[in-house]
Amino acid sequence: MKNTIAAIATILIFGLVAWMASKGGAYHGGKHSKGIGSFADATVTTQAAPAEKTDEEKDAEQIKALKEKAGNIGNFKVSDEYKSKCAACHGANGSGEQDGRKLMGPKLYGQSADKIYKDLTDFKANRKENVIMRGLLINTSEEELRKFADEIGEFPARAAEANK
């Protein structure tokens, strides 16, 4: 029974292949093979000079530049340690945002140095669970934790000074 079914299927497949070959399909040089064309027929195009910007495009660029400038007003100098350990999650200025998007870490800006220090020691001692914070702080000394906390606590004063 299996051999009979296999023989019928084989005959059917060969019949379909012969029928397709007689129709002049794409692989046999028939009309379907001419769809794309020859590479020799392709023409080389040269890049046109950029068109002059419209007034709307110029205005849009000016608005974008003003928005970027306004977004940078609150930026102030932070330590390299803060940049390397904290800024990726909490933002360059502790706002918890970057380019208008919420980051992974919460807002630190405006919190007191004592609260930040307590939170940092809790993360290090695993009293507060956060794998990323624990990993960053596991080899950090108490003195370094205090330094981070003091720096972050100074952010509002630094921002006010930078905006003068």
Side-chain angles (χ1 to χ4, degrees):
M1 184 68 181
K2 290 181 193 177
N3 292 338
T4 306
I5 294 173
I8 292 172
T10 303
I11 292 170
L12 180 65
I13 290 171
F14 279 122
L16 288 173
V17 168
W19 179 73
M20 283 296 292
S22 70
K23 294 292 183 184
Y27 297 107
H28 296 288
K31 67 179 181 179
H32 302 294
S33 68
K34 307 289 191 263
I36 294 175
S38 171
F39 286 113
D41 297 339
T43 58
V44 177
T45 59
T46 58
Q47 195 172 26
E52 188 173 321
K53 294 181 181 178
T54 65
D55 289 342
E56 291 175 357
E57 290 172 330
K58 290 177 185 176
D59 290 344
E61 286 181 2
Q62 288 177 340
I63 290 171
K64 182 179 177 185
L66 287 172
K67 284 182 180 179
E68 288 176 2
K69 185 176 180 183
N72 291 332
I73 289 174
N75 288 343
F76 44 85
K77 182 91 171 130
V78 295
S79 68
D80 289 336
E81 292 82 16
Y82 177 85
K83 287 179 189 175
S84 68
K85 287 196 174 193
C86 310
C89 297
H90 298 285
N93 59 3
S95 66
E97 294 181 354
Q98 186 169 344
D99 298 328
R101 294 186 189 129
K102 178 114 175 70
L103 294 173
M104 183 177 9
K107 178 180 176 181
L108 300 177
Y109 186 91
Q111 294 185 29
S112 71
D114 291 332
K115 179 176 181 344
I116 297 289
Y117 179 74
K118 182 183 180 318
D119 289 344
L120 290 174
T121 55
D122 286 348
F123 283 124
K124 184 177 178 182
N126 212 19
R127 290 187 291 267
K128 279 189 164 186
E129 289 187 31
N130 187 314
V131 175
I132 296 170
M133 288 296 293
R134 179 150 167 76
L136 286 170
L137 301 175
I138 199 161
N139 293 323
T140 308
S141 69
E142 299 298 318
E143 180 180 307
E144 290 172 314
L145 293 179
R146 176 49 72 184
K147 199 170 151 185
F148 277 126
D150 290 342
E151 179 180 5
I152 295 166
E154 292 175 357
F155 281 2
R158 289 182 185 184
E161 188 177 311
N163 288 331
K164 284 184 181 179

